[in-house]
Amino acid sequence: MTAGINTAKWAPVPLALTALLAAGCASPEGNDPKTAASSPSTTPHGYVEGAKEGAEQQSRLLLNDPGSGSTRALDLITGKVTKTDKVTDAAHLATDGRFGYLHASGATHVLDGGSWAVDHGDHVHYYRAAIRDVGQLPVGGGALVRSDAAVTAVTDKGGRTVLYDRGTLEKGDIVRTRALPGTYTGPVIPYEEHLLALADEDGTTGLTVLDRKGKRVTVPDAECEDPKGDAVTRRGVVFGCADGALLVREENGKFTAESIPYEKDVPDTERATEFRQRPGSDTLTAQAGDSVWVLDVGERAWKRVETGTVVANTAGEGAPLLVLEADGRLHGYDIGTGKETTRTKKLLTGKPHTGKPHTRNAPVVEVDRSRAYVNDPDGKRVFEIDYNDDLRIARTFDLDVEPVLMAETGR
């Protein structure tokens, strides 16, 4: 089954990092110690059994219509659409870069998007494999799932967390390894071979760091009142707090915590509570009432951009702030000046969206290294936007389902 693609304005996605890949992977004695010990004649550097490696990002979009349960995977390289198991009444679709997690009322369905990236610091490997339904995690709506290359942590509404083996998940099986002691406020986040979490103790919510067996390690005192929202960046893990954000980093085996406060008091209705970003980027966006917060983690600085009711995202690093406003158009803003620079034609059909995440008519803006993707559920289509070319509509994918929920894998 292949999506209907409007190719009138199509332009190929650039081959990201091709030269860098060639230089960084020329020898099996790469920078990864796990692959350096392999035999160069039988196991090339970066080899993954059952997967094909590409020179460019192997992106796919996971799509779901909660009403009908219809679920699809759209390959952005070939344009092919793959049908997967139906998942009805899903409230949210999250991804860790490879797997999609469809949170329904009684369980969380795990879908292997079959595309992912491995960042070795000085070069990146891009992989593609078969798309497949893996199974269900025995925890439903409200579950928070966070992963790294080794472990997947699933936290339920009550703050109880169970760890699953990521390597086994990649082979198509769900294997529980252990339950963590205690309860936590928000997700448990795998980071630098440890687990980061926030927990309530003595009337305050403080930072907790565990090893992979659940044992606490020494960390600096750090508080985060009323935590909401989190993100993993190259500079560390960010937690959203009532007074701004808490940045947790690891250097030479030691953890540090640093507060990034708002410049002034911010009402609860206007604080950042859910971050969006290009995966790994140090620039985060969050809805702030009827405007957008932009957090530059590198500069430790917040900026508020007045936009109106929105869904926002950005690739960071000089890219525009992308804002899907109530008029159904995607607007581009200069983050430095806060001024609008360009906009698209109306992309969305149906009633204007509310801007509130995870509601029935709230669209999504996904961003990768060269393109952005906007879903139009009522129009049964997804737009591919070249945000480096005045928000040019590069491709339009016509679908046989309403893509209410959308997440990109392979980044």
Side-chain angles (χ1 to χ4, degrees):
M1 176 181 180
T2 303
I5 306 175
N6 180 355
T7 59
K9 297 183 179 181
W10 178 84
V13 178
L15 296 180
L17 300 179
T18 303
L20 188 58
L21 280 169
C25 303
S27 167
E29 272 69 45
N31 294 316
D32 186 349
K34 294 180 181 178
T35 58
S38 301
S39 168
S41 62
T42 59
T43 310
H45 170 59
Y47 172 78
V48 175
E49 184 178 359
K52 294 181 179 179
E53 185 171 0
E56 62 181 318
Q57 191 169 271
Q58 303 294 301
S59 296
R60 289 167 176 166
L61 292 179
L62 305 183
L63 308 163
N64 172 264
D65 174 10
S68 68
S70 298
T71 308
R72 303 285 189 268
L74 168 61
D75 192 312
L76 295 169
I77 301 295
T78 66
K80 180 181 178 181
V81 175
T82 300
K83 289 185 177 180
T84 62
D85 289 352
K86 284 193 172 185
V87 182
T88 57
D89 297 325
H92 182 48
L93 169 58
T95 182
D96 57 15
R98 173 172 177 173
F99 294 92
Y101 302 95
L102 282 154
H103 301 284
S105 58
T108 295
H109 185 83
V110 183
L111 173 60
D112 185 351
S115 60
W116 68 97
V118 178
D119 190 343
H120 288 294
D122 66 337
H123 65 282
V124 181
H125 293 269
Y126 299 105
Y127 298 100
R128 63 190 293 115
I131 299 164
R132 60 182 173 183
D133 292 279
V134 178
Q136 293 185 333
L137 300 170
V139 57
L144 300 170
V145 182
R146 303 292 186 269
S147 298
D148 67 3
V151 65
T152 296
V154 182
T155 305
D156 67 16
K157 283 185 176 180
R160 296 173 293 272
T161 299
V162 174
L163 304 183
Y164 293 84
D165 182 80
R166 175 59 181 254
T168 306
L169 197 65
E170 293 170 355
K171 296 177 181 178
D173 295 317
I174 296 177
V175 175
R176 168 176 166 158
T177 56
R178 63 174 49 84
L180 297 181
T183 58
Y184 302 93
T185 304
V188 172
I189 302 175
Y191 173 70
E192 295 295 340
E193 300 183 3
H194 287 76
L195 303 165
L196 304 186
L198 297 170
D200 290 330
E201 292 185 3
D202 301 324
T204 62
T205 303
L207 175 66
T208 298
V209 180
L210 312 172
D211 64 20
R212 292 300 167 93
K213 294 183 179 180
K215 182 181 178 180
R216 293 195 178 194
V217 302
T218 303
V219 295
D221 290 335
E223 296 182 5
C224 181
E225 181 183 351
D226 190 23
K228 293 179 182 177
D230 59 276
V232 178
T233 75
R234 287 182 179 272
R235 298 180 185 270
V237 176
V238 174
F239 293 98
C241 310
D243 61 350
L246 182 69
L247 173 64
V248 182
R249 306 180 68 190
E250 184 273 344
E251 291 186 48
N252 301 319
K254 294 183 179 181
F255 287 88
T256 61
E258 179 181 356
S259 177
I260 308 176
Y262 298 119
E263 292 184 355
K264 59 183 180 179
D265 290 341
V266 173
D268 287 345
T269 56
E270 297 179 9
R271 56 171 287 201
T273 59
E274 181 177 354
F275 296 110
R276 295 193 64 80
Q277 69 188 128
R278 176 178 59 78
S281 171
D282 297 329
T283 305
L284 310 179
T285 67
Q287 185 176 340
D290 288 336
S291 57
V292 175
W293 282 114
V294 179
L295 174 59
D296 186 328
V297 180
E299 296 295 328
R300 312 292 200 270
W302 293 91
K303 183 177 181 60
R304 188 163 179 168
V305 181
E306 301 298 332
T307 58
T309 305
V310 301
V311 175
N313 208 334
T314 183
E317 301 173 3
L321 172 65
L322 304 178
V323 179
L324 188 61
E325 299 185 20
D327 60 4
R329 300 170 183 262
L330 187 68
H331 299 246
Y333 287 80
D334 182 285
I335 294 177
T337 65
K339 296 185 179 297
E340 181 178 339
T341 57
T342 187
R343 68 178 67 178
T344 67
K345 67 177 185 180
K346 185 177 180 180
L347 302 179
L348 303 185
T349 54
K351 296 180 180 180
H353 70 84
T354 64
K356 296 180 180 179
H358 313 323
T359 55
R360 173 61 180 83
N361 63 337
V364 180
V365 179
E366 288 285 289
V367 177
D368 59 32
R369 291 182 179 273
S370 62
R371 295 290 191 264
Y373 296 92
V374 178
N375 59 330
D376 176 21
D378 292 317
K380 292 186 177 181
R381 57 190 177 180
V382 171
F383 295 97
E384 179 182 78
I385 309 294
D386 185 347
Y387 56 77
N388 289 314
D389 188 13
D390 292 328
L391 306 189
R392 176 176 59 87
I393 299 175
R395 291 187 288 179
T396 300
F397 298 94
D398 297 313
L399 304 164
D400 66 340
V401 299
E402 295 184 11
V404 176
L405 303 179
M406 180 176 76
E408 184 179 355
T409 65
R411 301 177 294 181

